Amino acid sequence: LEEYDLIVEVGRWVIASACAQIRDWIERGIDPVQVSVNVSPRQFLRGDLQEDVMRALDTWQVPAQLLELELTETLLMTSKDAALVTLQNLKAAGVQISIDDFGTGYSSFAYLRRFPVDKLKIDISFTREITHSPDDDAIVLAIIQMGHSLNLKVIAEGVETAPQLEYLRRHHC
């Protein structure tokens, strides 16, 4: 999809489908659940993400805070100025913004501070060995502490064992 530039169209469809699903749950009386959508770098850079999101929210009459967009840190670092304006506008509308796979790219803490981010998602490559690897333990703990100091929610991907879950809960992740 990326290679043939179909990702922009598919990404637009995924955002609309997520909003349609949220609307369906609301109409059936199911407590609203926030839905996260991964945003492709190509969709972000070549499409009109802001317009796509706002159109889907409006069409399906979904509260913006129920939609979360997940962007990789590499994407944010390579499209700094354009990304900032788009994300500020989406955040002002109430859309939640997460940095996905945090710790695997080339983060600049100065830019992390500038972007209107709600959550950091620690990459599974660090979560996998947190109870066995002092290095992964140190990295995860540093990300959690940094995220909390910036008033961000921190989530770890790929939790598969009770010791991993206990570790993360103990550190408020």
Side-chain angles (χ1 to χ4, degrees):
L1 293 175
E2 291 273 356
E3 187 177 325
Y4 293 104
D5 263 349
L6 296 173
I7 196 66
V8 173
E9 187 176 327
V10 170
R12 186 178 302 122
W13 173 80
V14 169
I15 290 168
S17 295
C19 290
Q21 183 61 65
I22 295 167
R23 169 54 42 203
D24 180 60
W25 287 331
I26 292 170
E27 288 176 356
R28 290 197 287 152
I30 298 170
D31 285 339
V33 175
Q34 187 179 65
V35 175
S36 296
V37 174
N38 284 10
V39 176
S40 155
R42 193 162 287 189
Q43 179 185 8
F44 192 82
L45 297 172
R46 293 194 182 159
D48 190 344
L49 181 65
Q50 181 178 333
E51 175 63 28
D52 294 342
V53 168
M54 299 312 293
R55 184 182 312 115
L57 291 171
D58 185 55
T59 297
W60 295 102
Q61 294 296 295
V62 169
Q65 68 272 13
L66 294 179
L67 182 65
E68 177 181 85
L69 301 177
E70 294 185 8
L71 304 122
T72 63
E73 62 182 305
T74 304
L75 166 63
L76 295 178
M77 297 307 113
T78 58
S79 58
K80 300 168 193 141
D81 295 331
L84 183 59
V85 171
T86 298
L87 295 179
Q88 285 173 335
N89 291 341
L90 289 168
K91 177 80 172 147
V95 175
Q96 300 291 295
I97 308 293
S98 294
I99 298 180
D100 196 21
D101 301 332
F102 190 79
T104 61
Y106 304 99
S107 290
S108 162
F109 293 129
Y111 281 107
L112 179 60
R113 186 181 62 205
R114 284 182 56 206
F115 286 111
V117 174
D118 299 291
K119 297 176 190 170
L120 295 179
K121 293 191 174 186
I122 300 171
D123 187 69
I124 189 173
S125 64
F126 300 115
T127 306
R128 205 174 275 133
E129 297 296 322
I130 55 173
T131 58
H132 299 90
S133 166
D135 291 340
D136 287 346
D137 172 41
I139 290 168
V140 168
L141 190 55
I143 292 171
I144 292 170
Q145 290 173 343
M146 181 203 52
H148 289 167
S149 70
L150 293 171
N151 295 315
L152 301 174
K153 186 173 183 179
V154 183
I155 297 169
E157 297 178 329
V159 178
E160 297 177 347
T161 69
Q164 290 169 335
L165 181 61
E166 291 168 18
Y167 171 95
L168 293 164
R169 282 186 175 161
R170 185 170 58 251
H171 294 290
H172 307 286
C173 176

